[in-house]
Amino acid sequence: MVLGSGSREHALALRFASEGHDVLTLPGNAGTARLPHARGRNLDGRADDVQGVVAAAKREQVDFVVVGPELPLVRGVVDALEAEGVRAFGPSRAAAELEGSKAFMKRFLERHGIATAAFEVFDDVDAAESYVREAARPLVVKTDGLAAGKGVVVAKDTDEALAAVRVAMREHAFGDAGKRVVIEELLPGQEASFHVITDGERFVTLPAAQDHKRVLDGDRGPNTGGMGAYAPAPVVTERMARAVEEDVIVRTLRGMRAEGAPFRGVLFVGLMIEEGQARVLEFNVRFGDPEACVLVPLVTGGFYDLLYAAASGALPRDVRVKDESALAVVMAAEGYPQKPKTGDAIEGLDRVPASQVHVFHAATKVEGSTIVTNGGRVLTVTATGKDLRAAHDRAYEAISHVHFRGEHHRTDIGARALSDHGKMR
Ligand code: AMP
């Protein structure tokens, strides 16, 4: 059973189905409802309703639950499933605090000597405001708790930082999640992310990925959940990858064990890289979306078995990865991210060439005989290829076949890597 309804969940469900498993997705989308060979169906419910998920898992006698989004993890869905004897992939509630509380995460990094931006934690709004005024330099203001991806403001100036503090702490725009804020220095550099799959002790590292958060080409416009991604990201050299494993991953897993909350599942480490140095921006305690769409197709061998082994505390030593690149482009609904329109028919899905292309569904649903849009990020069109250029061209070719009213996507996914490092891979 896969929990969630995005393109990440479709990528996972499709992979498990292709490996011969029957897959239930709760709540899923039009893609997970129609897995090949009738291997999948959707279940009604909400992924973050812990009791409902446990009841569904027992009713359907599922062998294994893979949790997509963060909220059920932070609410303790893995603990609740395991208490009922259902094996689940993902961290316990205590370990999920690495994403559930920025203050916990930053203090954890500090305790364990892991490089990150300098920071202060504030529970008091007056103290936060005077800190911002006195700092008089660019700052990043983050709500402590989960705020559906909207809790981070990268402020150019003091006014923007003050506004972010006010919205979170005086206007309570994010409820309890914003009662406490973390204010940190703005780091320059290029972002990249690492995903490691771990049984709490051993881990395997997936190729480094880069995503594109802003809605418009050239990294302009408002932040989104992610408009595209690619892997491997050439900004991360082999040497840097080994350094991140030693200085970040090993220390984090050891630290979590020492603090009595071993981390099992997939740890997604967001990094800022400058002059060959990587510092931790954030942890996520689940696969990124759209990152999962480029990572899952690059892993060879049994993906289900890999996750099951991690959840059982018996991870294999190595993961085999294709010597290829993958690139994903999100097709978004009119009005996304502010106010996405829904209910528009999606056309052309059957005209997309199947070879080395996956159209992962996100906000889609079946309505009669058509598939319609059902939210902001509608589809994640992913292609693989011998290098980034090949994956890029194939993904954009695939996109040209698919249409819905008001559709928009970025035309420059991977452009920076292609111009900086185009000849490297
Ligand atoms: P987070 O959820 O903490 O990763 O923040 C979301 C996004 O805000 C990141 O992916 C970065 O683009 C940006 N960001 C967060 N913290 C910083 C920082 N200290 N310096 C620069 N950019 C940041």
Side-chain angles (χ1 to χ4, degrees), residues 108-116 194 196 203 205 239-255 267 269 271 276-280 283:
F108 175 89
L109 292 174
E110 193 173 55
R111 279 198 293 282
H112 296 280
I114 300 169
T116 188
F194 268 96
V196 301
F203 64 92
T205 307
R239 191 150 139 230
M240 189 183 301
R242 297 294 84 80
V244 169
E245 287 181 347
E246 252 171 65
D247 301 340
V248 179
I249 312 292
V250 169
R251 286 183 199 194
T252 299
L253 298 181
R254 195 198 297 140
L267 184 66
V269 187
L271 298 167
Q277 292 293 333
R279 283 189 280 185
V280 176
F283 284 128

Side-chain angles (χ1 to χ4, degrees), residues 227-409:
M227 294 298 289
Y230 62 90
V235 61
V236 179
T237 58
E238 193 58 32
R239 191 150 139 230
M240 189 183 301
R242 297 294 84 80
V244 169
E245 287 181 347
E246 252 171 65
D247 301 340
V248 179
I249 312 292
V250 169
R251 286 183 199 194
T252 299
L253 298 181
R254 195 198 297 140
M256 292 301 282
R257 287 199 305 274
E259 296 190 13
F263 186 95
R264 274 185 187 174
V266 55
L267 184 66
F268 163 149
V269 187
L271 298 167
M272 188 67 92
I273 295 166
E274 201 212 5
E275 292 174 357
Q277 292 293 333
R279 283 189 280 185
V280 176
L281 281 183
E282 63 168 336
F283 284 128
N284 294 316
V285 298
R286 34 78 195 176
F287 286 106
D289 190 357
E291 288 87 341
C293 298
V294 293
L295 296 177
V296 174
L298 289 178
V299 176
T300 60
F303 201 75
Y304 179 97
D305 291 344
L306 178 67
L307 302 193
Y308 194 87
S312 320
L315 196 73
R317 196 169 298 277
D318 248 331
V319 59
R320 286 215 317 279
V321 173
K322 286 186 191 153
D323 186 22
E324 290 186 356
S325 290
L327 185 138
V329 184
V330 171
M331 301 182 79
E334 182 178 343
Y336 178 74
Q338 292 90 347
K339 229 176 165 266
K341 257 189 91 240
T342 59
D344 287 310
I346 304 171
E347 277 151 31
L349 289 168
D350 51 351
R351 289 196 290 275
V352 177
S355 169
Q356 291 188 282
V357 176
H358 296 289
V359 179
F360 296 125
H361 288 229
T364 64
K365 69 173 182 185
V366 181
E367 222 174 63
S369 58
T370 47
I371 294 178
V372 301
T373 64
N374 190 34
R377 292 191 294 165
V378 177
L379 301 167
T380 304
V381 178
T382 305
T384 57
K386 67 177 179 0
D387 55 20
L388 201 55
R389 168 60 66 190
H392 169 276
D393 293 354
R394 192 170 280 131
Y396 278 103
E397 199 284 326
I399 273 197
S400 70
H401 298 282
V402 182
H403 305 281
F404 49 92
R405 193 156 25 132
E407 184 276 334
H408 61 101
H409 60 265

Side-chain angles (χ1 to χ4, degrees), residues 99 102 105-106 116-118 139-142 149 151-154 184-189 191 211 213-214 223 268 270-272 280-284:
E99 179 166 3
K102 298 260 188 213
M105 181 276 264
K106 295 291 289 190
T116 188
L139 293 168
V140 183
V141 180
K142 304 182 173 186
V152 174
V153 174
V154 179
E184 61 181 46
E185 66 175 320
L186 186 100
L187 297 178
E191 282 183 58
D211 77 346
K213 285 274 181 228
R214 302 297 189 100
N223 256 316
F268 163 149
L271 298 167
M272 188 67 92
V280 176
L281 281 183
E282 63 168 336
F283 284 128
N284 294 316

Side-chain angles (χ1 to χ4, degrees), residues 1-2 16 20-24 39 43 53-54 56-67 81-82 84-89 304-305 307-309 311-312:
M1 182 161 86
V2 174
F16 301 149
H21 301 281
D22 291 322
V23 189
L24 303 170
R39 284 218 166 267
L43 298 178
V53 166
V54 173
K58 294 190 71 178
R59 187 175 65 241
E60 302 284 346
Q61 298 184 300
V62 305
D63 298 313
F64 189 40
V65 177
V66 175
V67 187
L81 285 163
E82 299 208 320
E84 294 289 335
V86 182
R87 185 146 289 168
F89 178 79
Y304 179 97
D305 291 344
L307 302 193
Y308 194 87
S312 320

Side-chain angles (χ1 to χ4, degrees), residues 200-216:
E201 203 161 336
R202 282 166 301 180
F203 64 92
V204 294
T205 307
L206 304 184
Q210 237 177 4
D211 77 346
H212 299 62
K213 285 274 181 228
R214 302 297 189 100
V215 72
L216 300 174

